[in-house]
Amino acid sequence: MSQAHPGSQPVVVPFGDQALLCVLGDSIDEDLNRRVHRLAAAVGTDREREGVPWGAPVPGYASLLVPYDVGRLSLASATRRLERLVGRAEDEPAEEPDASALIEIPVRYGGESGPDLADVARRTGLDEDGVAQLHASITYRVFILGFVPGFAYLGRLPAQLELPRRDEPRPRVPAGSVAIAGRQTAVYPAATPGGWHLIGRTEVSLWDPDATPPSRLQPGQSVRFVASPR
Amino acid sequence: MSGMPGAAGPPRQVPLVDVRSAGLLTTIQDAGRPDAAALGVPRSGACDPLAMAAANLLLGNAPEAAVLEASLLGPELRVLRSGFVALTGADMEARDSDGGRRLGLGRTHHLEEGTTLVLGAAADGARAYLAVPGGFAVPIVLGSASTCLAGRFGGFSGRPLAPGDVLLANVDEAGRPTPSERVWPGPGPSSGVPAGVDDVVLRVVPGPHAGQLTADEFGRLLSTTWEVDHRSDRMGVRLATSAAPNRDRSAAAELVSLPMTWGAVQLPPGGAPIVLLADHPTVGGYPVPLVVAAVDRPVLGQLRPPHRVRFVPVDVAEAQAAWLEAERALDEAARRLRVSGVDG
């Protein structure tokens, strides 16, 4: 595990005139991400129990966006209050979904389901089965939800499979596509444009706006992909 | 879950308009879903929130009642029930098929059952807003009536309007003033970009990655007059410049995905900025050297070719003071509409 800025202090900076950004680090790292979600929970508690006029916080891999009501909180007092919350959240134990409750996602690798699998194999020096086996051999963490509704950023992908995004994003990626980019993997919950490499597809539905919660995957959960016959 | 204040019991809903032609991109929007971003759900909502609020206030609605947002080319709507509507935002040269009466912006109009409201191509600005008494009635999803185009939910069946759609409105006569002839009091939000103005000034505060740019790169962002690109949409206003070359690709490290906000000026490796709008993805990996002040969101939502844009730096305190002043002006306009009679 890479340790970005070991020992570095979290930084709180303005993100526009309506929100603060708390930066804890700049890498895809489980410990950093756990701290981000812990801080998000602390902000949520401060909003609900103490009536502090925060908006809903938005987690990134290693940073947290915290909107605030500028009619009720100055930049200086919002910054001070968030810095205090950061300090307190760092000292508390993490409350996370039970990581042992593994979510399994069946995947058909390659062929029409994964049009980029052959290319990924060529570029990583593996064969198609090797890529699929390696992808399915890891227990991934759900780091964040983002990009489009229910899109879960999973990591970390083995370094052997690390590739930059495609030069030309596809205008339309089919729903259920299982994709990789950098040290990340994900399932496209709906048909959207996308620049990741498509290596397979699943029938599992990950997003239903009328369900509670609407996203099947939640930050902190553990996910494994299981190869199903083509 | 109607979102209407003062409603005693669920409001009645009635068919109000029948979509004859849909226009380029006409969607139902309200204040959006700011609380759902952690699920990856874009905020959505009106791209010109001031024009939406004005249209609603003219009818005595809550400022964030569900309206129609039409982009660049408006719809044709057959009226199924006589009553008032309010029009704000970009000038789409709205007409009433009944005699071809021109319908001005920033005011209410009475439309008779059987006539057709025709919105044409936007002569200035990008987005027009149509409000109806009580607001358009659609199911509330994740706290909002707004159309989520990326997730295909909310609004009217999760999509832009199409010919043949019949839109319902909330009927809630109790506790809401009876709509009447009203004109928006004072200057303001009939359009975010005044007609004939091609060079638009956007106030910006330094973004979280301002320090990662070289002084030259940062200076170039501020000194360039940017052209609004035709590929702009509800996710973002894309800017371009014919004066070349852009920043050094090698300098543009991609970041681990971080949360984004409305107004963030993203700088992709090519050097052509994208200013994020209401439908922006919740996270992104491009550096954000500038953020457009929230007070200029209404203008931002009206940008289109051939508008040109310049960024003018302000500090956070100035941006917040301007925002609060705009909020006070809106409150004052709402107050004058409540106390005044005809024609504010």
Side-chain angles (χ1 to χ4, degrees), chain B:
Chain B
M1 293 290 279
S2 72
M4 292 298 302
R12 211 155 50 84
Q13 300 176 348
V14 293
L16 193 70
V17 294
D18 175 9
V19 179
R20 303 290 294 271
S21 72
L24 203 56
L25 180 79
T26 306
T27 55
I28 291 190
Q29 301 293 345
D30 60 8
R33 303 180 177 83
D35 283 4
L39 294 168
V41 174
R43 179 190 185 111
S44 303
C47 280
D48 180 346
L50 190 55
M52 171 185 75
N56 277 319
L57 291 169
L58 280 163
L59 293 168
N61 291 346
E64 67 280 8
V67 298
L68 278 190
E69 179 186 277
S71 304
L72 295 177
L73 178 66
E76 298 185 9
L77 307 168
R78 196 164 61 91
V79 177
L80 302 177
R81 182 182 154 102
S82 298
F84 280 93
V85 301
L87 279 168
T88 60
D91 183 2
M92 294 189 175
E93 299 178 344
R95 292 179 284 117
D96 184 343
S97 69
D98 181 14
R101 174 174 59 130
R102 270 294 298 273
L103 304 174
L105 290 169
R107 59 174 303 146
T108 63
H109 299 281
H110 193 270
L111 300 177
E112 294 298 327
E113 179 182 333
T115 62
T116 300
L117 171 61
V118 180
L119 278 72
D124 69 62
R127 296 178 174 91
Y129 293 86
L130 173 73
V132 298
F136 287 99
V138 293
I140 301 296
V141 184
L142 295 173
S144 164
S146 286
T147 313
C148 177
L149 293 171
R152 289 176 199 159
F153 63 83
F156 190 96
S157 301
R159 59 167 172 78
L161 298 189
D165 291 346
V166 173
L167 306 185
L168 309 180
N170 293 309
V171 177
D172 167 29
E173 302 300 345
R176 205 165 46 75
T178 309
S180 59
E181 292 286 348
R182 288 295 167 95
V183 176
W184 186 251
S190 68
S191 174
V193 180
V197 172
D198 285 345
D199 274 23
V200 176
V201 170
L202 293 174
R203 285 164 279 188
V204 289
V205 298
H209 309 115
Q212 294 183 12
L213 270 61
T214 65
D216 279 357
E217 286 171 335
F218 199 75
R220 181 174 163 273
L221 264 181
L222 295 177
S223 64
T224 301
T225 299
W226 297 96
E227 293 153 25
V228 175
D229 191 274
H230 65 92
R231 290 169 304 160
S232 302
D233 57 19
R234 278 186 48 89
M235 287 194 276
V237 175
R238 290 172 177 268
L239 301 176
T241 174
S242 40
N246 299 314
R247 51 191 305 232
D248 177 6
R249 275 179 168 272
S250 62
E254 209 164 279
L255 309 162
V256 297
S257 294
L258 73 151
M260 286 292 143
T261 66
W262 193 351
V265 180
Q266 288 190 327
L267 197 58
I274 302 167
V275 190
L276 299 183
L277 295 188
D279 275 4
H280 71 83
T282 58
V283 299
Y286 295 131
V288 177
L290 301 170
V291 183
V292 173
V295 68
D296 283 340
R297 286 174 184 170
V299 180
L300 192 56
Q302 293 294 353
L303 294 180
R304 54 168 292 184
H307 288 141
R308 289 185 298 269
V309 170
R310 277 184 303 115
F311 296 123
V312 173
V314 296
D315 63 32
V316 171
E318 290 171 305
Q320 292 182 339
W323 160 268
L324 292 171
E325 178 52 36
E327 294 275 282
R328 273 193 295 274
L330 188 64
D331 287 347
E332 171 60 17
R335 192 192 63 78
R336 286 174 63 184
L337 281 170
R338 277 195 305 272
V339 300
S340 70
V342 173
D343 284 10

